[in-house]
Amino acid sequence: MSAPRGIASRALLVLLVWLIVYPLVLVLLTALKGEGGRWTLEFVRTFAERPTEWQALWDSLWISLASVALAALIGVPLAFLFARYDFPGRRVLGAVVALPAVLPPLVGVLAFLFLFGESGFVAHLVKRVFRLDEAPWRLEGAGAILLVHAYSMYVYFYLFVRAGLASLDASVYEAAASLGAGRWRTLRTVILPLLRPSLAGAALLTFMTALASFSAPYIFGGGFRVMTTQIVATRLNGDDALAMVETISLTVLALGALWVLRRSDARDAAAGAVTTGKGVAPERSRVTSPVARGALAVVSWTLGIVLLLPHLTLLLVSFVPTGTWTTEAVPPAYSFANYATLVRDPVRARPLVNSLWMASLATAAAVGISLAAAIFAVRRRTRAGAAIEGLLALPWAVPGTVFAIALATAFSVHAPLAARFILVGTLWILPLAYLVRNLPITGRAIIAGFRRLDPSLEEAAASLGAGRWRTLGRVTLPLLRPAVMAGATLAFVTAFGDFVTSIMLYTYDTRPVSLEILSSLRNSDVGVAAAYGVVLMLVSAGVFAAGAERGTAG
Amino acid sequence: MTEPFLVLDGLTRRFGATVAVDRLSLSLARGEILALLGPSGSGKTTALRLLAGFETPDAGRVLVEGQEVTDMPPVTRRFGMVFQHYALFPHLDVGQNVAFGLESAGIDRAARGARVADALALVDLRGYERRRIGQLSGGQQQRVALARALAPEPRVLLLDEPLSTLDPALRERTRGEIRELIHRLGTTTVFVTHEQDEAFDLGDRVAVLRTGRLEQVGTPEQLYAEPATPFVGGFVGRSTTVPVDVIGAGPRGARVRLEGVEWDVPLRAGAPAPPAGPAELLIRPEALWLVAAAPDALPAVVETRRFTGATSAYRVRTEHGAALEVQGVPGAFGIGDRVGIMPSRRAGGGLHLFPRDAS
Ligand SMILES: Nc1ncnc2c1ncn2[C@@H]1O[C@H](COP(=O)(O)OP(=O)(O)O)[C@@H](O)[C@H]1O
Ligand SMILES: [Mg+2]
């Protein structure tokens, strides 16, 4: 009985090694092998001798750190505001504050371009008011990247800290107050230390996302290069081996950051476990003074509108027919023409279909693999299972650009004996890339869900005569549904809006929506680009909403 | 003696260096209820899981009606189990939970409905089919778990601390209901508990486990009256153990000396006379009687007293520092009083002699 299971878990392990580790190893080999297959440090030396490489690496690092700081600066106060105070419109705004999450990275960039770009709404407005011929700024360089990062990543801090605050027992505040600690002292000496696991988690996520960020630097970078864009540029130059060295440098930076933050994380988790209570969150303070209420309402509604501006801009521009908006402050004409194009023109509809099936397939496969992994790692507790769990998490720590390069390297050669096949240029490379990138998302959610599942439920099913498959179908899967839905929705949305891996691996036949947005933009087909963006945004929002609903119902 | 229905033969299960269950052998007659009693960590749950088939023994066998089932997976074993925290399926309603095992057995839908209704009626939950698990109280959940385990008519019913999560008042009532139900159905049952009251009340026989080993198995009366080891004596019923010297045979058993006074300790019928020398004496509270200080009584001082009804239980300390629990007339002595201890006039029992190293 245990032999076939042993084989199944080992087969899965081999598959994952082939998909995840092997391509990365090939990257390493390519970087270290010269002509004729001899070992060489030539490319490493080239890398080390070029100041531009060090500059790109440094830029990646400081942009990521600055993104963490900015995101925390916005997200943490917002979390406190919405968790601790009650004021008119709190519920609606609390949801609005999380909305940047429904903008896939490239779509967010697009919206910022329409809003703050040299020919965007704000520029038009400023030109009109100050009677200028040109916008007094360019949306370019580090500032522009940081603006987009801060907007899209503060949500991590907001959500993590809110969850952390919700799990703090009211008695923590009361105990501090009864010991005579004032509000600030309580915050500084009690609340913030207890929130450290949440803060560390959000910081890690923000840092890794910013380090891997590609869309914003690619569109707004101009001459400013971070490592992700540098890699793509080098590769376009045909300098493959150097691109591999760059890839390795970025990977090392990511893994180093992970290591540093994980260490402090583990310490905090140990401390947090002892001190946090059952989670009877304290009552929100009602803001009662009319002046304070008014001020708070104005501030928070303004904030809500500012946060929604990108979404609204995108929506507005998507109704502007091509070529009708030139110098006016506000577009003069609106129609459904762009959407009609998406539906009627087969060439324009194709990317939507592509993204849909590729993301669906990758998500389904990722869910299946994660379920198997969870069974091997959590229930069977095989050694292969533990290794599988570790492997699933790996693509999370490795930036998407790196994986795109690695897959492109591994699967552009036909060498069946080395387990390499030509997939680049075929239909299958993008779903495969999405799958690899989805695995950490579904894996984390499903394995965590499995750990929370009481093993005696499955034993009860067995003692009632239910075989392995009936137990899986009738007990395990239904109980895992919230975890599966959470993982699957996030994975689908990520794959559906993916830009970073797609740009390196797509073919004309498999071009996804993000690539079509890019080419529309290049053709000044702004309205169509916005329409695609709106579709991505709505699908993301819809999938999230459906996932939340189906995950909790029943 | 009829053929035993369920036999555990030398069952052993190790977890690394711990031997959770050590050469456990037991047999149950058809329809018998056996209680596995032991302190936490004594291997009760592991023994039950070995019976259910969730654990594979390192050695030993399980037989049902003479047929070996040791390697049979739980799915085909047809042993019903009630888990400590019930393990009800939260996404299914009460009826679906109870029907679960019937579906596995391939019973068609029409017959299933009637069987579910019957099973729920057994546990006094008639008409609860459509309730959600989350809407039930702890006691009701416990009964649904019982109905679910019983519905497919298992060959053996296994219960892991079935009452431990109920509040004390409910526990006693539920105990009676379960005993009555199981006896009515005649299902051979093994249940696990760490509470002596529960074991005595529910079990036809009680098996006492200690660090994975069977210490003694017998009816509650046997365990109380004739504990095989000091551990059983101490775990079952109230008692204190003091060191004594065996000095020879007396008219009614062994003669022992305890701090200068000499008592006769009755021996079990057929038991060999203990060798002279140091031994342990296990004393039930009712075996001794408290009197005013007297020349042939063991002198002691009252430390605490506890009213128990017809008598009071006094905790006293002898001059040599041994603490004993002794019965006496309620209110006869106060704390700090000097008193004497005599063997109770009620003949027989309550005193048990063990070799010194038998602990
Ligand atoms: N799965 C397991 N892995 C390791 N040790 C175990 C496991 N299950 C039980 N044990 C050990 O076996 C011993 C008996 O445990 P258990 O059967 O749960 O006792 P009880 O139910 O009487 O409290 C304990 O020392 C426990 O730590
Ligand atoms: Mg137990």
Side-chain angles (χ1 to χ4, degrees), chain A residues 1 454-468 470-471 473-479 554, chain B residues 49 54 73-75 79-81 83 85 87-92 96-97 100-101 103-104 132 148-149 152:
Chain A
M1 202 168 78
D454 182 357
S456 54
L457 287 166
E458 286 161 277
E459 290 178 351
S463 78
L464 291 167
R468 204 190 303 169
R470 198 165 109 83
T471 302
R474 288 269 301 179
V475 177
T476 315
L477 285 184
L479 290 173
Chain B
R49 291 172 58 80
F54 299 134
V75 180
F79 280 23
M81 175 118 175
F83 291 81
H85 298 283
L88 293 172
F89 305 130
H91 60 299
L92 303 180
Q96 289 167 326
N97 264 280
F100 196 91
E103 273 170 59
S104 312
R132 303 214 62 89
R148 184 179 71 173

Side-chain angles (χ1 to χ4, degrees), chain B residues 286-309:
Chain B
E286 68 271 19
L288 301 178
W289 191 248
L290 218 52
V291 295
D296 54 345
L298 179 63
V301 175
V302 175
E303 287 195 328
T304 63
R305 63 176 184 188
R306 192 166 51 85
F307 180 64
T308 58

Side-chain angles (χ1 to χ4, degrees), chain A residues 171-186:
Chain A
S171 61
V172 171
Y173 298 87
E174 286 155 11
S178 75
L179 294 169
R183 185 181 295 207
W184 287 109
R185 193 155 156 247
T186 306

Side-chain angles (χ1 to χ4, degrees), chain B residues 44-45 84 160-161 192:
Chain B
K44 305 180 299 289
T45 296
Q84 187 165 9
D160 190 359
E161 312 234 0
V192 152

Side-chain angles (χ1 to χ4, degrees), chain A residues 478-497:
Chain A
L479 290 173
L480 276 181
R481 191 164 72 175
V484 170
M485 289 312 283
T489 49
L490 194 53
F492 179 86
V493 167
T494 310
F496 194 63

Side-chain angles (χ1 to χ4, degrees), chain A residues 212-415:
Chain A
S213 167
F214 179 76
S215 303
Y218 184 76
I219 306 282
F220 292 142
F224 182 84
R225 286 270 172 82
V226 295
M227 199 36 103
T228 48
T229 47
Q230 177 89 338
I231 290 170
V232 174
T234 309
R235 194 163 158 89
L236 282 181
N237 276 342
D239 234 345
D240 269 5
L242 184 62
M244 299 302 154
V245 180
E246 291 169 349
T247 305
I248 293 166
S249 75
L250 185 61
T251 312
V252 169
L253 194 58
L255 293 178
L258 186 66
W259 184 71
V260 168
L261 275 162
R262 266 289 149 79
R263 269 171 37 130
S264 66
D265 207 23
R267 264 204 319 271
D268 291 336
V274 191
T275 40
T276 43
K278 271 262 188 54
V280 181
E283 291 271 302
R284 288 191 177 80
S285 324
R286 279 196 79 79
V287 179
T288 44
S289 128
V291 177
R293 266 172 93 85
L296 205 52
V298 169
V299 167
S300 51
W301 281 104
T302 311
L303 177 82
I305 289 166
V306 167
L307 292 177
L308 269 180
L309 271 182
H311 305 71
L312 297 175
T313 305
L314 207 59
L315 200 61
L316 192 70
V317 175
S318 76
F319 290 113
V320 176
T322 304
T324 60
W325 183 26
T326 46
T327 55
E328 298 85 350
V330 176
Y334 300 93
S335 77
F336 282 97
N338 299 320
Y339 291 99
T341 308
L342 293 200
V343 181
R344 292 214 195 98
D345 183 350
V347 176
R348 286 314 184 82
R350 182 71 186 267
L352 286 170
V353 177
N354 282 343
S355 282
L356 203 60
W357 80 258
M358 293 192 296
S360 305
L361 186 66
T363 303
V367 166
I369 289 178
S370 303
L371 277 172
I375 292 171
F376 296 139
V378 182
R379 279 295 172 267
R380 307 253 140 266
R381 298 220 210 121
T382 56
R383 208 167 309 158
I388 289 171
E389 191 182 351
L391 273 187
L392 284 191
L394 185 62
W396 182 76
V398 178
T401 316
V402 172
F403 257 106
I405 291 268
L407 292 173
T409 308
F411 300 114
S412 57
V413 178
H414 185 69

Side-chain angles (χ1 to χ4, degrees), chain A residues 381, chain B residues 13-16 18-21 38-49 55 84 160-161 192-194 209 211-212:
Chain A
R381 298 220 210 121
Chain B
R13 179 73 171 103
R14 294 184 202 91
F15 294 108
T18 6
V19 188
V21 172
S40 171
S42 58
K44 305 180 299 289
T45 296
T46 307
L48 211 61
R49 291 172 58 80
E55 300 278 353
Q84 187 165 9
D160 190 359
E161 312 234 0
V192 152
T193 178
H194 62 269
L209 283 188
T211 59

